[in-house]
Amino acid sequence: MAAIATQLKYTPVDTIPGIAAGVRNAFNSHKTKPLEFRLLQLRKLYWGLVDNEAAIVQACKEDLGKPTFETHLGEIEWCKNDIIFVTQNLPKWVKDEAAPDIPLMNKLLSPRIRKDPLGAVLIIGTYNFPVNLAITPLVGAIAAGCTAILKPSESAPTVAKVLQHIVETSLDVSCYDVVQGAIPETTALLDEKWDKIFYTGGVNVAKIIAKKAAETLTPVTLELGGRNPAIVTKNADVRLAAKRLLWGKIMNAGQFCISQNYTMVDKEVVDAFIAEIKIVLKQFFPNGVKESEDFARIVNGRQWSRLRKMLEQTDGRIVAGGDMDESQRYLEPTVILVDSPNDSLLKDESFGPLLPILPVDDLDTAIRIANEVHRTPLSLYPFGNKQETERIILETQSGGVSVNDTLFHGSLPTLAFGGVGDSGQGSYRGKASFDCFSHRRSVTTTPGWMERLLDVRYPPYEGKLAKFKQMNELKPNFDRDGKVKLDLVSYLLLGAGSKVGGLGRYAAVLLEVLGIGKATDILDHIHSLPQPAQDEAQTAVRAIESAAMLQQEAQPGLHELISYLERRGVRMGLCTRNFDTPVTHLLQTFLPGKTFAPIVTRAFRPPKPDPAGILHIADAWGTDDGAGSVIMVGDSVDDMVAGYKAGAATVLLSSVDNAGLEGHEWTGVAIARLDDLVGMLERGFAERERGQEGTGPDT
C-alpha cells in the first residue's frame, strides 16, 4: 500500500487546467455512466476509508484536537454508512421514473424522467469536519455518474493529505482527482468551466464562488452557516434543554455550522437554565475541560484569536467557563449573559464554544429577535411545549429545525440537509446527494400512429380551436373571488379530498349515527375480516376516532335524511364491482334489519354509455327504473350521473376519482351539506312525480 505523504504539497497552479480537462474528457467518454462502474467506485472508496481509519483519527487529532470518538461519530462511520446506504439504493434511484400527473391523452407519449449526471464537478471542502464534508458530496457525485475534482481545506492539512491518499489509491484517477492548495489554487480551479460547484464554508468565500460561477452560468450548491437561534420557553424542560444545548456547543469545540449561535431564555427560568448548564458542564468533564481528551481544540491560531476578540468586545458577563490557552488553541466552553440583541456575540457567527444567553420577556419577543438577528439561519432549536414549538416554526425561517434538541436534523445521514437564503443553496445527504449532482431529464416518445390525433396542431388552424379546447382545457373548481366551488361531489364526499377519504367518512358517520359503538369496537371487528378487506377497513374507519365531532355535527343532518327517506319508502342498496370491500363487511355485520340494510345488486351498462364506456349502475331490487331506491354507487362520478338518468336517487358514493377536492375541511360543515343533500332529493322526487325526466342535481 502506498504511503501517505509526510508533507502537504500544493498542486502547481499551471497544472490545474490540464487536471480539469482530464476529468471533463473522462466524463465525455461516458465511462462513469454505467451503474456498475459507479457501484464499484463507491465500494472501493468504502474500503479506502476502512484501510485508513487510523490515519484519519490521527490526522483529525493533529489538525483539530478532535477526540477519537467524535472522529468516528462524525467522520469515519458517517461516511462509511453513507456509502453503504447509497450502494444499496442506487439501482433504484437511477431507474427512469414515470412522469406524475399526466393526462390520459398524454400517456400515449410514454413520458418519463431520466436521471442524467451533470458532468464534471468541483467539490470544495472545509476544515471543521474535513473528511465528512469532502467525502459525502463526493459520494453523491460518484453515485450520480459525474467526474469530480476534490479540493480539501488547507486549514486541515494533515487530513487533506489522507484524503488525497484515499482518492488516489481507491478510485479511478482518470475520473476523480484531488487538488491541494489555498487561494491561488482555488482561484485557478474557479477559472475552469464546471458543470456544478459544491462548496462548504463561510459566506464571504461563497459570494466569490457564486459570482465566479455566474460568469459561466454554472449551478452551485452552497452549504454555509448562520447565527442560529435556540429558544427556551418557560414551559420547557430546563434541565434537558441545558444538557442538550451544551452538548451542541462542545461537539468539535463548537466548530459546527449548525450549532446554536445564541440562546434566548424566558426570564422566569433563565437562572435555573444557567445553573443547570454549570451542573452539566461538570458532569461532562469531571476532571476539568482542559485536561479531558473528549474536548477538541480550535483549528488554528487565527480562529482562536478571532474568538478571543469576540469575548473581549462583548458587553455581556461571563457566568461560566472563560479559561483559555493560546499555546494549545484551547478555549473552554464559555457561557455569557448578554442583555441586548445588538451584542457583538449575536451579531457575528462565533463558530466556537461560546454560549451567549439573552433573557427575554416572552415568546413574542424571542420570535421577533430571532427574525431580526438573522432571518434565514441554517438551524433553529425551539424548546417548549408543542404549541410553542409549532408557533416558533411557523413564524420563523431556517434551513432545518431540531425541536427540543440540538444538531439532530443535520445529523441524520439520510435526511436532506441544506440552508435557505444566505445560509445556503441546495441540499444533499442520502438520496438528496444523488439528486444534487443529477439532472432530471424529461423524455417523451411520439409514435407514428398518433399523427391523426396530432393533426390539430398543424396549420391551417381554421376550425381547430374548439377541438383543441375540448382536448386540453381544464375547468376551474373556484369562482372569480377565489372561493372553491362545492359541487355535488363535494357534498357527497362530506368534504373529503379523495375516494378513500370519502369512504372513511361515510363509514364513520353511518356507524356512529346508528349506534354501532365506539371506534375501538369497530377496530376489534376488523381483525376478523378476510384479507384484503382487513387492511382496507383500517383506512375506511379512521375518521371514527373523531366521535365527538360526529355526534355533534353530523348526527342531526343524518337523522333528518334517514327520516325523510323512510317517509318515502326508500331503502338503501350497495352497488359495487368488488363485493369484498370493507364497507360491505362492516354494513353486513353491524346493520342487519336496519333502514340501511345492504343489498348486493347486479350491475348493468346504461342504454347510452358515456364515451369512455365505463358506466355501471344498479338495477336496484329488480325494478325496471330503480325508482324509490337510494344507491351507493361505486367507481366514478359518471356512475352517479347514470344512476340519476336511470331513475334512481343516488345518494352516497363509495368511491370517486376526483383530485380537485383536496384540502377541504369537514369540521363544522357536515350538517349543512347533508341538509343540502335532502333538498336535492326533494327536488329530484318532485320532478319525477310531475312526470318529468329528472336527471338529478347538477354535477
Side-chain angles (χ1 to χ4, degrees):
M1 181 181 295
I4 300 174
T6 56
Q7 291 185 339
L8 179 64
K9 296 181 179 180
Y10 285 4
T11 303
V13 172
D14 59 356
T15 66
I16 290 177
I19 295 173
V23 295
R24 284 196 298 269
N25 292 335
F27 179 77
N28 292 333
S29 72
H30 311 294
K31 184 177 183 179
T32 60
K33 291 183 179 180
L35 173 61
E36 283 306 317
F37 177 87
R38 308 183 202 183
L39 291 172
L40 180 62
Q41 298 303 305
L42 291 170
R43 292 164 183 158
K44 287 186 174 181
L45 181 59
Y46 175 89
W47 290 113
L49 291 169
V50 171
D51 293 340
N52 291 277
E53 282 188 8
I56 293 172
V57 169
Q58 183 61 32
C60 286
K61 192 173 292 293
E62 289 184 22
D63 289 340
L64 290 148
K66 185 171 289 194
T68 299
F69 176 82
E70 289 187 10
T71 299
H72 278 278
L73 175 69
E75 308 275 13
I76 299 172
E77 300 306 319
W78 179 297
C79 294
K80 287 164 57 181
N81 290 341
D82 187 44
I83 292 173
I84 292 175
F85 175 78
V86 171
T87 56
Q88 289 175 342
N89 290 277
L90 188 57
K92 174 177 61 178
W93 296 343
V94 300
K95 290 181 179 179
D96 288 359
E97 288 182 18
D101 305 320
I102 301 296
L104 178 62
M105 179 68 177
N106 294 337
K107 286 184 180 296
L108 301 175
L109 302 174
S110 302
R112 60 198 183 278
I113 298 173
R114 286 177 52 90
K115 287 70 169 287
D116 284 353
L118 289 177
V121 303
L122 172 63
I123 299 170
I124 303 176
T126 191
Y127 67 80
N128 59 327
F129 286 86
V131 178
N132 185 328
L133 300 181
I135 294 296
T136 301
L138 179 61
V139 168
I142 295 173
C146 297
T147 57
I149 293 293
L150 175 62
K151 163 58 180 69
S153 173
E154 71 278 13
S155 295
T158 314
V159 175
K161 291 185 298 182
V162 176
L163 288 174
Q164 182 171 0
H165 173 75
I166 291 173
V167 170
E168 291 178 348
T169 58
S170 304
L171 301 179
D172 186 325
V173 293
S174 69
C175 302
Y176 312 102
D177 210 338
V178 176
V179 169
Q180 304 282 16
I183 294 177
E185 293 76 17
T186 305
T187 301
L189 285 169
L190 294 176
D191 285 336
E192 298 298 317
K193 176 67 178 81
W194 303 99
D195 297 300
K196 179 82 177 260
I197 299 175
F198 189 106
Y199 168 74
T200 304
V203 171
N204 291 333
V205 175
K207 291 178 180 178
I208 296 172
I209 291 173
K211 183 177 180 180
K212 191 66 177 179
E215 295 178 2
T216 54
L217 298 179
T218 299
V220 295
T221 292
L222 304 175
E223 298 295 342
L224 311 177
R227 286 156 285 169
N228 308 316
I231 300 175
V232 180
T233 75
K234 61 184 178 182
N235 296 309
D237 184 330
V238 175
R239 181 191 62 81
L240 205 59
K243 183 178 183 180
R244 292 175 175 179
L245 286 169
L246 178 61
W247 174 75
K249 271 298 187 179
I250 66 168
M251 178 74 170
N252 202 35
Q255 298 166 107
F256 211 152
C257 60
I258 61 174
S259 65
Q260 76 275 13
N261 200 59
Y262 63 102
T263 302
M264 291 179 283
V265 183
D266 192 286
K267 287 182 176 179
E268 292 187 19
V269 297
V270 68
D271 291 338
F273 180 76
I274 293 174
E276 289 293 342
I277 283 186
K278 294 178 180 179
I279 293 172
V280 174
L281 187 60
K282 184 65 175 177
Q283 292 173 345
F284 285 169
F285 305 102
N287 298 319
V289 181
K290 189 174 184 180
E291 303 304 320
S292 174
E293 295 184 356
D294 296 334
F295 187 73
R297 297 299 188 260
I298 305 305
V299 66
N300 54 40
R302 182 171 63 87
Q303 295 297 334
W304 187 92
S305 298
R306 178 186 60 82
L307 289 167
R308 182 181 62 180
K309 185 177 181 180
M310 291 184 72
L311 278 176
E312 293 172 348
Q313 292 179 339
T314 180
D315 293 326
R317 175 171 56 92
I318 294 177
V319 295
D323 185 29
M324 58 185 73
D325 184 340
E326 186 173 7
S327 65
Q328 294 187 23
R329 305 192 311 274
Y330 164 73
L331 182 60
E332 184 182 16
T334 303
V335 182
I336 311 99
L337 189 63
V338 301
D339 59 8
S340 169
N342 296 318
D343 192 274
S344 60
L345 291 176
L346 274 68
K347 286 295 185 181
D348 297 314
E349 181 181 1
S350 65
F351 212 68
L354 307 182
L355 292 86
I357 296 174
L358 175 64
V360 292
D361 292 328
D362 49 37
L363 186 56
D364 289 340
T365 303
I367 292 174
R368 176 179 57 79
I369 292 174
N371 288 324
E372 289 175 353
V373 170
H374 190 180
R375 191 175 65 85
T376 56
L378 184 57
S379 303
L380 170 68
Y381 303 110
F383 290 77
N385 60 37
K386 184 176 181 179
Q387 183 179 4
E388 291 168 335
T389 56
E390 287 296 328
R391 184 189 167 199
I392 293 170
I393 294 173
L394 177 66
E395 298 182 15
T396 59
Q397 287 182 281
S398 66
V401 183
S402 293
V403 177
N404 290 328
D405 208 340
T406 183
L407 309 184
F408 240 134
H409 73 278
S411 304
L412 303 181
T414 57
L415 181 65
F417 171 81
V420 60
D422 58 0
S423 64
Q425 300 175 20
S427 59
Y428 73 123
R429 304 270 176 84
K431 184 177 184 298
S433 293
F434 170 80
D435 294 336
C436 177
F437 294 97
S438 299
H439 169 60
R440 294 175 62 83
R441 190 179 185 186
S442 298
V443 180
T444 62
T445 302
T446 308
W449 60 262
M450 282 189 65
E451 193 62 16
R452 287 190 61 186
L453 296 175
L454 300 176
D455 181 70
V456 68
R457 68 182 181 179
Y458 300 125
Y461 297 133
E462 184 177 356
K464 293 183 177 181
L465 181 58
K467 181 180 179 181
F468 170 78
K469 287 186 175 182
Q470 183 181 10
M471 294 171 60
N472 292 276
E473 190 173 20
L474 299 177
K475 302 296 183 182
N477 67 333
F478 50 86
D479 60 22
R480 292 180 179 273
D481 296 324
K483 297 179 180 179
V484 176
K485 295 184 291 187
L486 299 178
D487 55 15
L488 178 62
V489 175
S490 303
Y491 286 114
L492 297 180
L493 286 177
L494 295 181
S498 67
K499 57 186 180 182
V500 174
L503 257 177
R505 291 182 178 183
Y506 268 110
V509 172
L510 288 174
L511 295 174
E512 181 69 23
V513 168
L514 296 175
I516 302 309
K518 298 181 180 179
T520 53
D521 299 330
I522 306 241
L523 295 175
D524 287 341
H525 170 72
I526 287 174
H527 296 297
S528 66
L529 299 179
Q531 294 290 349
Q534 183 177 133
D535 294 334
E536 296 175 359
Q538 297 278 4
T539 301
V541 298
R542 279 177 187 157
I544 304 175
E545 296 175 358
S546 303
M549 181 192 73
L550 294 170
Q551 184 72 18
Q552 297 173 10
E553 308 256 4
Q555 185 166 337
L558 274 176
H559 276 315
E560 181 179 354
L561 175 60
I562 294 169
S563 176
Y564 173 80
L565 296 176
E566 287 179 339
R567 292 199 305 271
R568 292 286 181 173
V570 173
R571 297 182 297 165
M572 172 159 179
L574 178 64
C575 174
T576 177
R577 300 182 205 179
N578 178 14
F579 298 141
D580 189 29
T581 65
V583 173
T584 306
H585 287 284
L586 290 172
L587 287 175
Q588 289 174 337
T589 301
F590 292 111
L591 302 180
K594 293 184 178 290
T595 302
F596 283 81
I599 299 177
V600 177
T601 61
R602 61 184 177 85
F604 72 97
R605 194 173 297 279
K608 294 181 180 180
D610 74 320
I614 60 172
L615 299 185
H616 287 263
I617 60 174
D619 177 10
W621 304 289
T623 59
D624 292 334
D625 58 3
S629 303
V630 181
I631 303 173
M632 183 182 290
V633 182
D635 297 317
S636 73
V637 178
D638 291 326
D639 293 354
M640 176 188 66
V641 176
Y644 275 114
K645 290 182 178 180
T650 307
V651 176
L652 305 178
L653 296 178
S654 65
S655 62
V656 169
D657 295 320
N658 189 309
L661 301 175
E662 297 293 336
H664 290 302
E665 296 293 337
W666 186 23
T667 306
V669 297
I671 297 176
R673 291 182 178 176
L674 290 167
D675 288 345
D676 289 345
L677 184 59
V678 174
M680 293 177 189
L681 286 173
E682 289 278 10
R683 291 193 296 274
F685 278 114
E687 288 180 352
R688 191 175 291 115
E689 290 173 354
R690 289 197 301 268
Q692 300 178 6
E693 185 180 356
T695 59
D698 294 337
T699 55

